[in-house]
Amino acid sequence: MSTVTRDDLQRRPHPRLRPYVGDYVAYDIAGVPAGTHLGLPSGTLTFIVSIDEPLHQYDAATSRTESFDVLLAGLHLSPTLIRHNGTMAGVQINFTPFAPRILFDTPAVELAHRTHDLAEISRPIAAELHERVNEATTWSARFDAIDEVLVRAVHEGTRPRPEVVDSWRQIARSHGGLPVSLIADRIGWSRRHLNGVFRAEFGIGPKEAARVIRFDRARRMISTQTRTLADIAATCGYADQSHLNRDFRLLTGTSPTLWLSEDPVVRQDRDRWSLDR
C-alpha cells in the first residue's frame, strides 16, 4: 500500500449515516514485531472490515483464537486481545450505540461484551462489505464502498426511547462529566429507572458509559504524549493522576506508560503522525 497522509486515512460517513455512525478510520500497520494489540473500551461499538488477512482475536480465558473478516464488537469494559504477525490493515467504523438497530435491526445490548462476526448478524452486508473493500485499490474508494453499502442498509426500525437516546448524548457531549442524577432529573426519570432502561438498551449502565467515554478521551490524549498525565487527569475530570492510573489499569490491565511502550501498534501510529500533530 502506498504512502498516505492522515487525511487520506479518515473520513466522515455519508450525511444520512452521521446520526448513527462516526468516522471511518483506515489503518495500515506493517513492520512491527509480531505480538498482541489491545483493543480498548470506548463509547463506540467497534466495526472493522479487514483487508487481505482476517483480524485474529485471542481469548485468554479459553486459549482460543477467532478470525474475523468483518468484526462487530459491542460496548465492553475490558480489553480485547488482537494477535498479529506484524502486519494489519483494514477500516474501523465507529458506531454509536444506535447504529445496530438502524442498520441490522439489533439493539446494542445483544452485542455487548462480545465480539461478533457480522456474517452471523447480516451475511449479505458482511459479504458485500468485505468483497468491495478488498477489491478497491485506494482508501477513498474503500470509504465510498462502505458508504454505499451502509446507506442501503439504513431502515426505519424500532428505535430506543427518546429519553435513552438523549441520556446517551448528554453523557457523550460532556465526555462523561455529568452526574447520572442530573441526567435523570433532566429527562424526568428516577436514577434507578434510567439505569434499568439504559442498561437494557446498551448493555452497560449510564455510570459505566460515562466511565469509558472519559477513559477514551484520556487514552487519546495519552497516545499523543504532548501533555503530562496530571494535566490529562485534570482535563478529563479525574480526581488526580492516581485516579487516572487506577481507572486505566482497571479498564486495560496495564498502566498508561506500559501501554505506550509495550504495544508496537500504538507506537507506530504515534510515531507515524508525530509531525502531523
Side-chain angles (χ1 to χ4, degrees):
M1 297 184 182
S2 58
T3 301
V4 293
T5 68
R6 180 183 286 273
D7 287 343
D8 294 327
L9 292 176
Q10 189 163 343
R11 183 197 286 182
R12 296 192 70 196
H14 186 280
R16 192 175 179 196
L17 296 170
R18 291 176 191 171
Y20 325 112
V21 180
D23 289 349
Y24 303 157
V25 181
Y27 61 90
D28 181 10
I29 304 297
V32 302
T36 301
H37 168 64
L38 292 183
L40 301 182
S42 75
T44 60
L45 284 73
T46 302
F47 184 31
I48 293 177
V49 184
S50 65
I51 296 174
D52 296 332
E53 291 294 322
L55 189 147
H56 306 290
Q57 182 172 306
Y58 176 70
D59 186 337
T62 63
S63 299
R64 292 180 55 199
T65 299
E66 291 186 87
S67 298
F68 302 90
D69 288 330
V70 185
L71 169 156
L72 178 56
L75 295 169
H76 56 101
L77 303 174
S78 59
T80 56
L81 307 178
I82 308 300
R83 290 280 176 85
H84 61 89
N85 63 4
T87 301
M88 290 193 298
V91 179
Q92 176 169 320
I93 305 160
N94 295 311
F95 269 14
T96 73
F98 321 121
R101 278 196 184 273
I102 300 301
L103 298 172
F104 311 128
D105 202 25
T106 301
V109 65
E110 294 186 12
L111 307 173
H113 309 291
R114 285 188 53 208
T115 300
H116 306 261
D117 187 331
L118 186 67
E120 299 173 358
I121 300 167
S122 179
R123 185 174 295 276
I125 293 177
E128 185 178 1
L129 277 172
H130 188 255
E131 179 179 358
R132 293 187 61 181
V133 167
N134 277 267
E135 284 179 348
T137 57
T138 67
W139 292 115
S140 179
R142 294 179 182 116
F143 295 150
D144 288 342
I146 294 169
D147 264 348
E148 291 173 16
V149 175
L150 294 187
V151 165
R152 280 192 277 108
V154 171
H155 65 281
E156 297 297 325
T158 304
R159 296 172 181 264
R161 294 183 62 170
E163 296 92 342
V164 178
V165 174
D166 185 46
S167 298
W168 181 278
R169 288 177 173 162
Q170 288 188 55
I171 293 170
R173 284 195 297 265
S174 69
H175 305 292
L178 287 179
V180 175
S181 58
L182 175 59
I183 296 171
D185 287 343
R186 285 179 174 179
I187 65 171
W189 286 359
S190 70
R191 179 171 176 172
R192 180 177 180 180
H193 184 60
L194 171 60
N195 184 71
V197 178
F198 194 101
R199 189 178 297 275
E201 178 63 34
F202 302 127
I204 63 174
K207 187 173 181 179
E208 293 166 329
R211 183 184 179 201
V212 296
I213 287 171
R214 179 179 60 184
F215 160 79
D216 189 49
R217 184 187 187 198
R219 187 267 305 174
R220 293 176 188 278
M221 291 181 183
I222 291 167
S223 69
T224 67
Q225 291 194 300
T226 58
R227 304 170 71 170
T228 67
L229 288 177
D231 183 34
I232 292 170
T235 299
C236 295
Y238 292 93
D240 52 28
Q241 183 178 330
S242 295
H243 183 200
L244 167 60
N245 286 334
R246 286 195 305 272
D247 213 44
F248 197 100
R249 186 173 291 278
L250 286 170
L251 288 168
T252 70
T254 188
S255 69
T257 302
L258 289 176
W259 172 66
L260 283 172
S261 64
E262 294 184 352
D263 191 331
V265 173
V266 175
R267 290 202 308 273
Q268 184 178 95
D269 186 63
R270 178 197 65 204
D271 295 343
R272 184 176 190 179
W273 309 116
S274 61
L275 298 179
D276 193 36
R277 288 201 293 261

